[in-house]
Amino acid sequence: MSEFDEISSGKGITLKPLVTGNVEMTVICGEYQTTSTLTPALAQWLMNEIEVCRLKAAAMKENQP
């Protein structure tokens, strides 16, 4: 994750790098919003999980009649 990249899952999760090396995660659920600070390793794991979810959803969409 580059120092200037901001990643969004498109589903209410945004990851933004901080100058400290950690990552700020914002989660929005309807009217509620929460922000947490993640370690780089945890943020990388979360980005991987989001990508796996995207790929599986795309595959499911392609296989529908």
Side-chain angles (χ1 to χ4, degrees), residues 38-63:
L38 307 177
T39 64
L42 187 54
Q44 185 63 54
W45 172 84
L46 182 58
M47 289 190 313
N48 291 345
E49 291 297 308
I50 291 168
E51 185 61 20
V52 167
C53 185
R54 284 181 179 165
L55 293 172
K56 288 184 178 184
M60 288 175 66
K61 188 174 183 178
E62 287 179 6
N63 291 331

Side-chain angles (χ1 to χ4, degrees), residues 10-58:
K11 298 292 182 188
I13 299 174
T14 302
L15 301 173
K16 183 173 123 181
L18 302 173
V19 293
T20 61
N22 288 332
V23 178
E24 179 183 88
M25 176 184 72
T26 302
V27 178
I28 301 171
C29 299
E31 299 297 316
Y32 181 75
Q33 177 176 323
T34 184
T35 301
S36 301
T37 302
L38 307 177
T39 64
L42 187 54
Q44 185 63 54
W45 172 84
L46 182 58
M47 289 190 313
N48 291 345
E49 291 297 308
I50 291 168
E51 185 61 20
V52 167
C53 185
R54 284 181 179 165
L55 293 172
K56 288 184 178 184

